[in-house]
Amino acid sequence: MSILVTGGTGYIGSHTVVELLNAGKDIVIIDNFSNSKREVLDQIKQITKKDFKFYEINYLDREDLKNVFEENKIEAVLNFAGYKAVGESVEKPIEYYMNNVSGALVLLDVMREYKVKKFIFSSSATVYGDPQTIPITEECTIGGTTNPYGTSKLYIEQILQDLYKSDNSWDIAILRYFNPVGAHESGLIGEEPNGIPNNLMPYISQVAEGRLKELSVFGNDYSTPDGTGVRDYIHVVDLAKGHIKALEKLDKESKGIYTYNLGTGKGYSVLDMVKTFERVTNKKVPYKIMPRRAGDIATSYADPQKAKQELNWQTEKGIEEMCEDTWKFIVKNKDNKKHPNN
């Protein structure tokens, strides 16, 4: 029996695939490389020394997806195929709803057809909108999302709740990510978005590398200690391990639908991240203050206690490791581009 990972060459998907392979799981990956690179497949094999099946398809294509289920005995699905940039979603709402919501519906429908009912969904802290209380617990009200990306996650969460109500033989884990950063300690996989980055850490690293002139800091007039937005940054490897723990729970527990925050429980501002990155890498990161970005909120960080108690999961890596591993990936990537035959 295999685990299907959609979007498995993307940032979070690839790190989770590594953890799944290290845990001895058989993996089938599908991806269309819309925001990732084919080389990631080889890098995953290099890290894990293990092989897996791969299909280059779009998960919106029902017939291609059905073919994957026909050719493999799938026992569970982890869905990482969603578009994920808040700012871009404001500019391209139709593309985000089409890919994220329609894609999830096609995937769930094909799963239902093949009687595969174990599903882990990559949701987001953005479903809480502008939170009424900090830290954010799973019991906080969801809704009032401030951008199409967050709204697409909210819609899919509702679809999953309705699906479970209609058929309680489903086994579903909804994982609400806070802000994934960092890279695998090997430096082989990390976050390398196509075009100008939408997320903070790849933007910082590209400025430090000299690929971009300066970092745009969107807003310095929030009601936070230094005026810049505060977020709960979580190392991507810690986040990936949360999926392994969620899968273990679904394997052990009776059928159900479960929701967990995956975060550190600490908030860092944009300038905290810039200063820490400069300190641990000894690289200067020039920045300029820009107007607030549409859809952004002042402060967001998790209460991760439920995941600790029910999944036996907690983060292990701190802000320094997030910055160190990010830079290690950038340096190694640059070296590989200079020496493509390595």
Side-chain angles (χ1 to χ4, degrees), residues 5-70:
V5 184
T6 69
T9 65
Y11 178 44
I12 300 166
S14 62
H15 286 83
T16 304
V17 165
V18 165
E19 297 303 323
L20 287 165
L21 289 168
N22 286 341
K25 304 291 186 183
D26 289 323
I27 304 297
V28 178
I29 296 175
I30 65 171
D31 212 314
N32 66 347
F33 304 115
S34 64
N35 195 29
S36 61
K37 293 181 170 61
R38 188 178 295 277
E39 300 86 76
V40 171
L41 297 167
D42 291 330
Q43 289 154 344
I44 292 169
K45 290 173 187 173
Q46 196 175 332
I47 292 167
T48 62
K49 308 291 188 284
K50 293 180 181 177
D51 205 356
F52 47 84
K53 289 184 79 171
F54 171 73
Y55 294 80
E56 185 174 353
I57 66 169
N58 187 329
Y59 81 146
L60 277 157
D61 190 315
R62 182 183 300 269
E63 292 309 310
D64 282 351
L65 194 56
K66 284 173 69 171
N67 182 53
V68 174
F69 281 79
E70 284 286 344

Side-chain angles (χ1 to χ4, degrees), residues 25-188:
K25 304 291 186 183
D26 289 323
I27 304 297
V28 178
I29 296 175
I30 65 171
D31 212 314
N32 66 347
F33 304 115
S34 64
N35 195 29
S36 61
K37 293 181 170 61
R38 188 178 295 277
E39 300 86 76
V40 171
L41 297 167
D42 291 330
Q43 289 154 344
I44 292 169
K45 290 173 187 173
Q46 196 175 332
I47 292 167
T48 62
K49 308 291 188 284
K50 293 180 181 177
D51 205 356
F52 47 84
K53 289 184 79 171
F54 171 73
Y55 294 80
E56 185 174 353
I57 66 169
N58 187 329
Y59 81 146
L60 277 157
D61 190 315
R62 182 183 300 269
E63 292 309 310
D64 282 351
L65 194 56
K66 284 173 69 171
N67 182 53
V68 174
F69 281 79
E70 284 286 344
E71 293 183 0
N72 302 276
K73 289 185 176 177
I74 305 295
E75 62 174 319
V77 177
L78 281 70
N79 181 22
F80 299 99
Y83 294 160
K84 65 185 182 73
V86 168
E88 184 182 63
S89 78
V90 176
E91 297 165 12
K92 299 178 175 179
I94 290 175
E95 287 86 345
Y96 268 69
Y97 290 127
M98 184 73 75
N99 181 78
N100 293 9
V101 181
S102 298
L105 285 168
V106 171
L107 178 60
L108 290 165
D109 196 27
V110 173
M111 287 177 66
R112 179 175 61 172
E113 184 177 338
Y114 286 87
K115 297 181 171 52
V116 178
K117 295 186 175 180
K118 195 172 289 183
F119 186 66
I120 295 179
F121 175 57
S122 302
S123 191
S124 163
T126 54
V127 299
Y128 295 110
D130 197 346
Q132 295 166 321
T133 57
I134 300 288
I136 300 168
T137 70
E138 290 83 354
E139 284 68 48
C140 286
T141 303
I142 61 173
T145 45
T146 57
N147 53 76
Y149 162 73
T151 306
S152 75
K153 297 295 188 183
L154 184 69
Y155 287 166
I156 298 165
E157 284 202 17
Q158 186 61 57
I159 289 163
L160 292 171
Q161 294 287 350
D162 291 341
L163 179 60
Y164 181 72
K165 279 179 200 163
S166 74
D167 177 0
N168 60 16
S169 66
W170 281 81
D171 230 356
I172 298 167
I174 295 169
L175 304 181
R176 292 175 180 158
Y177 305 166
F178 279 69
N179 291 70
V181 296
H184 192 267
E185 62 185 13
S186 66
L188 287 169

